[in-house]
Amino acid sequence: MSTFVLVHGAWHGGWCWDRVAPLLRDAGHEVHAPTLTGLSERAHLLSPLVGLETHVEDVVRLIDVLGLTDVVLVGHSYAGQIVTAVADRRPDAVAQRVYLDAFVGADGEAARDLLPETVEHHWAESAAEQGFGWLVAVRKLSVLGVTEQADVDWLLPKLTPHPWKTYTDALRLTGAADRVPAAFIECVSWMRVFAGQADRARERGWPVHELDTGHEAMVTAPAELAAALLEIAGRPSAARRETGV
């Protein structure tokens, strides 16, 4: 069985996977869903120094301290950057990378570079005008495809501003992540900010799965997302046997 490490995106915490994690555990897998430094219940640790490296270290330390192996590393949205960096540093521990409506970055690229121009401008403006130059305010959930009031009521009180530095810090990669098989899941029932990232995945020969839901799939379509993750989790061992990696 695999060990899933589920990494949340901007504004969220590890709790956002609470509807998905039980489904993965019921299938016999181990699941970890850490909250990144400075966010949600760890917001008391937020400072202008919290950047991409901070969050990469959060996940690397989780893997190292718990001795995790055969990890299916799932990153939502911004956390695609984290997945890439962690797999680059711990390629022998990570069996599969999964990008859930997430950034597919290359060496030297920052998350802001991967956003559509209009969205990047909005985020930078939000940080400059509302976030003291270093925070991005929580976006309206309706923009992300969350429309059910019960879902909004569950999410909104737990969300916190996100450090802009995580979007301006560039990935620094050795190329080791390329040894780790990858897959992409695109959420197609919203404004599809990550359509270009799905195209990048296709160009790299990764399987791309589509979910008929908004950006917050772990909230709005947990059963469908869990099914996709379980399907993907069956790929790494076979792929590695075939390639000898």
Side-chain angles (χ1 to χ4, degrees), residues 17-29:
W17 302 98
D18 282 357
R19 299 177 181 181
V20 174
L23 303 177
L24 301 177
R25 292 188 179 109
D26 286 348
H29 300 285

Side-chain angles (χ1 to χ4, degrees), residues 1-185:
M1 291 299 166
S2 299
T3 298
F4 283 89
V5 174
L6 310 175
V7 188
H8 64 83
W11 313 302
H12 291 62
W15 50 265
C16 74
W17 302 98
D18 282 357
R19 299 177 181 181
V20 174
L23 303 177
L24 301 177
R25 292 188 179 109
D26 286 348
H29 300 285
E30 183 179 344
V31 182
H32 299 271
T35 292
L36 301 170
T37 297
L39 293 165
S40 199
E41 74 270 22
R42 302 186 70 208
H44 60 292
L45 300 175
L46 184 61
S47 83
L49 298 178
V50 174
L52 176 60
E53 177 63 25
T54 314
H55 291 165
V56 171
E57 192 67 11
D58 283 338
V59 180
V60 167
R61 283 181 177 270
L62 175 74
I63 291 172
D64 288 354
V65 171
L66 299 185
L68 304 182
T69 59
D70 196 29
V71 172
V72 179
L73 186 57
V74 182
H76 177 235
S77 197
Y78 148 69
Q81 293 285 85
I82 301 172
V83 164
T84 299
V86 171
D88 194 70
R89 297 185 191 186
R90 297 294 184 270
D92 294 331
V94 180
Q96 178 80 40
R97 295 176 284 156
V98 183
Y99 296 76
L100 172 59
D101 235 18
F103 294 121
V104 179
D107 183 52
E109 289 185 322
R112 72 179 301 175
D113 302 329
L114 304 175
L115 286 169
E117 185 176 350
T118 54
V119 177
E120 189 277 336
H121 175 76
H122 172 76
W123 279 58
E125 186 178 63
S126 176
E129 296 181 359
Q130 304 172 45
F132 313 103
W134 63 278
L135 287 173
V136 179
V138 177
R139 295 196 75 186
K140 288 184 177 179
L141 291 173
S142 59
V143 175
L144 304 178
V146 181
T147 56
E148 293 293 330
Q149 191 59 47
D151 293 336
V152 173
D153 291 344
W154 183 60
L155 282 168
L156 201 54
K158 303 179 185 68
L159 302 178
T160 55
H162 189 88
W164 179 228
K165 189 176 189 297
T166 62
Y167 273 73
T168 59
D169 287 348
L171 279 171
R172 298 301 177 201
L173 306 174
T174 68
D178 295 339
R179 293 164 43 193
V180 182
F184 194 96
I185 301 174

